[in-house]
Amino acid sequence: GLLGPNGVGKSTIFNLITGLLKPDFGKVFFGNKDATNYPIYTRTRKFKIGYVPQYGGFFGDLTTYQNLKAVAEILIKDTKDQNSRIEYLISKFELDAVKNTKAKHLSGGQRKKVSIAMSLMSDPKIILMDEPFQGLDIMSTRDLQETIVNLQTEDNSRCCIISDHAARDLLAISDRAIIVANKKIIAQGTPSELINNTNARNLYFGDAFKIS
């Protein structure tokens, strides 16, 4: 989990990791490999990165199936393998009923599922999610939380890095979390460790914050 006040640079961190931005100083490493000068598509394929942006992440005038097909054609060479992967993701995220519905007509929760499904097309080992709970109702949030947890439990080598202002919703599914403020990491650890951290309470949570 990645937490911090508005404007602290959470989305910027994601953009640096994916290659949308180049750092003014410092480097981006995946394991022992310096990827600072690698373009976006190379990072996606070489280091198996999936990205679910804060806004959009899909083509509004394309159907659910067409959105997945558009990504599959870029990442998967064999047409048969493309179709197999698409059908698997549609089934996995229970999108059969909206398979032929344009993305702009989907609910917020359904759109988020489509975006996540698109990010999983290459079977990534690192999935970045920028404010996935934004704009979702309580039931959709719970559904998405379950989806995210399942992504990791089904593959122990997969890592989900999630940024969101909904601290309770994020910490409820986080193994570990980091709080960024004043241009640096001010606290990190398990959710229970964070809410008892003095810096975290003073600079982010406040005294009244509780997980449940």
Side-chain angles (χ1 to χ4, degrees):
L2 178 60
L3 295 164
N6 279 329
V8 76
K10 300 185 297 297
S11 295
T12 299
I13 290 172
F14 280 177
N15 289 336
L16 290 169
I17 293 172
T18 58
L20 286 168
L21 290 176
K22 188 172 182 179
D24 294 324
F25 56 89
K27 296 180 181 296
V28 178
F29 281 86
F30 294 96
N32 297 319
K33 188 69 175 181
D34 183 355
T36 309
N37 295 314
Y38 283 26
I40 296 171
Y41 70 89
T42 301
R43 297 187 195 199
T44 299
R45 289 180 172 175
K46 186 176 181 66
F47 302 109
K48 294 238 173 225
I49 302 173
Y51 179 45
V52 182
Q54 180 178 351
Y55 301 107
F58 54 82
F59 303 100
D61 280 324
L62 297 185
T63 66
T64 295
Y65 178 86
Q66 289 170 336
N67 268 286
L68 293 170
K69 183 69 173 178
V71 178
E73 288 178 343
I74 296 173
L75 297 175
I76 303 173
K77 292 182 179 181
D78 185 78
T79 302
K80 185 177 180 179
D81 290 341
Q82 289 176 17
N83 294 333
S84 176
R85 185 66 177 169
I86 291 169
E87 292 302 327
Y88 165 75
L89 290 170
I90 286 176
S91 175
K92 177 180 179 61
F93 289 98
E94 299 178 345
L95 293 168
D96 302 81
V98 293
K99 179 177 179 178
N100 298 312
T101 302
K102 288 188 176 182
K104 63 183 179 183
H105 297 312
L106 300 176
S107 68
Q110 289 169 335
R111 290 179 182 181
K112 193 61 65 175
K113 283 186 175 182
V114 171
S115 295
I116 295 174
M118 291 169 70
S119 77
L120 287 172
M121 189 59 67
S122 62
D123 193 21
K125 296 303 179 184
I126 302 171
I127 305 173
L128 308 174
M129 298 187 190
D130 196 358
E131 299 201 26
F133 304 121
Q134 186 181 58
L136 299 184
D137 58 36
I138 294 175
M139 290 300 295
S140 295
T141 296
R142 297 293 177 264
D143 189 28
L144 183 55
Q145 285 177 315
E146 184 178 347
T147 296
I148 293 171
V149 169
N150 288 339
L151 288 177
Q152 295 201 172
T153 55
E154 69 188 19
D155 186 346
N156 292 329
S157 66
R158 178 178 290 148
C159 174
C160 294
I161 305 175
I162 308 164
S163 170
D164 211 285
H165 287 297
R168 288 183 182 83
D169 293 329
L170 179 55
L171 292 177
I173 58 170
S174 296
D175 300 304
R176 296 185 62 80
I178 291 173
I179 300 177
V180 181
N182 298 331
K183 301 180 181 180
K184 61 183 179 181
I185 295 173
I186 62 165
Q188 57 183 310
T190 64
S192 59
E193 289 171 344
L194 282 185
I195 63 172
N196 292 309
N197 183 286
T198 302
N199 285 335
R201 284 195 167 278
N202 290 341
L203 296 173
Y204 185 67
F205 291 127
D207 292 331
F209 181 83
K210 296 179 180 179
I211 292 181
S212 59

